[in-house]
Amino acid sequence: MNPKIIQGGNFSDHRGTISYVNDFSFKEIERFYIISNSDENRIRAWQGHKLDAKNFYCLNGSFKIHFVKVDNWENPSKDLTIETIFVSESDSKIVHIPVGYANAIESLESNSKLISFSTLPLSDVSNDDVRYPSDYWNING
């Protein structure tokens, strides 16, 4: 499976606005958390997942979600192609990153918040997380 965007929408009237992603299924979701990077460290990078699929939705502000398909977990190539998807609070979309990828989350504004829905139970996370130095792949290159 490849990364994909699950597009939603917004509805506004005199009562306010509702944002939705009706085509997203919570069937395999085990947990969620909210990411809010500091202004001093706007990039949270690189974290790989052999077993856990990630689904990101921007609650506030904006982000770039960078990801690479890992070719070797112990010694991945530094020449992997970095893909990037922009998300913002005005979008109503979920970015699905399947297992086998490493990602970097870059906040573009102060007070940006991103919710991450994970498919792996917390009890199995220690068997899954693979971290690489923040400059292992150059997102500005």
Side-chain angles (χ1 to χ4, degrees):
M1 177 178 277
N2 292 318
K4 66 180 178 179
I5 293 173
I6 305 166
Q7 191 63 54
N10 298 300
F11 173 80
S12 296
D13 65 13
H14 67 281
R15 299 168 292 173
T17 301
I18 295 174
S19 298
Y20 56 88
V21 183
N22 290 338
D23 292 331
F24 179 68
S25 172
F26 284 88
K27 183 178 174 185
E28 296 183 19
I29 302 303
E30 290 285 336
R31 58 196 170 85
F32 77 92
Y33 50 92
I34 297 173
I35 300 167
S36 190
N37 293 342
S38 69
D39 287 340
E40 297 79 28
N41 296 298
R42 292 187 171 272
I43 300 173
R44 183 180 302 260
W46 285 92
Q47 187 169 351
H49 300 283
K50 299 179 202 176
L51 308 170
D52 192 5
K54 297 292 184 182
N55 299 278
F56 298 109
Y57 182 89
C58 183
L59 297 170
N60 194 56
S62 59
F63 290 84
K64 285 183 180 176
I65 301 171
H66 308 280
F67 49 94
V68 296
K69 175 77 170 141
V70 177
D71 59 348
N72 178 316
W73 290 103
E74 289 73 37
N75 188 25
S77 170
K78 291 196 173 220
D79 297 328
L80 297 176
T81 301
I82 299 171
E83 297 182 66
T84 301
I85 296 176
F86 173 82
V87 296
S88 76
E89 65 184 86
S90 63
D91 293 337
S92 189
K93 66 184 176 191
I94 290 178
V95 177
H96 171 77
I97 309 293
V99 300
Y101 284 78
N103 64 67
I105 306 303
E106 179 181 6
S107 54
L108 302 175
E109 304 171 47
S110 293
N111 301 313
S112 292
K113 291 184 191 234
L114 189 73
I115 190 165
S116 175
F117 300 102
S118 296
T119 60
L120 193 66
L122 189 59
S123 58
D124 296 337
V125 167
S126 62
N127 299 323
D128 181 54
D129 275 352
V130 181
R131 296 181 188 241
Y132 303 101
S134 61
D135 61 351
Y136 198 86
W137 294 285
N138 181 7
I139 62 173
N140 298 314

